[in-house]
Amino acid sequence: MRLTSFSDYALRMLMFAASSGETSFTIEAASRSFGVSRTHLNKVANTLTRGGFLTAIRGRSGGLVLARPAETIRIGDVVRLTEPDFAVVECFATGNQCVLTRACKLSGMLGEAIASFLSTLDRYTLADIVLAPTAFAAFLPDAPPRARRPYRRKTETMLDPRDTAPVSPETAS
């Protein structure tokens, strides 16, 4: 079983909020710290705010803070909010087409495994996984930026206005 990156970022964002204490933080700061798109983290923050895990503070000195104490935020509840489904096999999904569904014993076993997985996560709270603020400092502005994919130059040919011979973009200057 694998959690989506959305759930991963939600847990990271809550860890970031918990390490900030009562000080608000911005999505921009979390984005820089994690090397993740601000737009993507905005969606995560909206979900966590609607779910009652974060509170958004408006205004110039606004940002995000935990909506309640870290000791009351169960990891299982966060995962339930952020995971779209737990359809680990076809028979768990809407529109099941599996011909074995009525006789299969696998679905019961997998259902039990998912329940056990979530039960284990329910035993832990955000307070159990919070990091010291200095742990995030290693990933902030002084750290070298994450490597990006190299820029790919367009390779379409252009016509030189002085003649009709095709010219590549590299020699078109």
Side-chain angles (χ1 to χ4, degrees), residues 3-171:
L3 295 179
T4 61
S5 60
F6 193 87
S7 292
D8 180 18
Y9 298 148
L11 291 168
R12 288 190 217 181
M13 186 171 273
L14 289 173
M15 290 168 64
F16 194 79
S19 75
S20 299
E22 294 184 18
T23 305
S24 66
F25 70 95
T26 63
I27 292 172
E28 181 64 35
S31 172
R32 279 194 324 268
S33 180
F34 304 145
V36 176
S37 154
R38 196 177 81 206
T39 304
H40 192 64
L41 286 185
N42 208 9
K43 293 175 191 174
V44 172
N46 285 335
T47 298
L48 292 172
T49 301
R50 283 192 310 262
F53 296 108
L54 290 177
T55 297
I57 302 168
R58 295 189 180 272
R60 182 180 174 117
S61 60
L64 297 163
V65 293
L66 285 180
R68 55 186 200 248
E71 297 80 18
T72 66
I73 298 175
R74 293 186 317 167
I75 303 303
D77 291 338
V78 176
V79 170
R80 282 183 192 88
L81 174 70
T82 58
E83 281 300 310
D85 64 45
F86 288 97
V88 293
V89 289
E90 182 181 354
C91 60
F92 286 15
T94 306
N96 173 23
Q97 299 290 316
C98 180
V99 296
L100 300 176
T101 298
R102 290 205 267 192
C104 185
K105 297 177 184 177
L106 181 63
S107 62
M109 180 179 56
L110 290 174
E112 186 180 335
I114 291 169
S116 178
F117 174 75
L118 291 170
S119 175
T120 299
L121 293 180
D122 285 339
R123 291 196 325 252
Y124 297 93
T125 68
L126 182 58
D128 295 321
I129 63 171
V130 69
L131 300 173
T134 54
F136 290 99
F139 308 109
L140 287 171
D142 297 333
R146 240 174 57 165
R148 295 183 180 197
R149 292 195 330 206
Y151 174 76
R152 296 186 92 161
R153 202 174 261 202
K154 291 183 181 178
T155 57
E156 63 188 50
T157 47
M158 301 180 303
L159 290 179
D160 185 336
R162 294 170 287 190
D163 62 29
T164 58
V167 178
S168 71
E170 289 84 2
T171 59

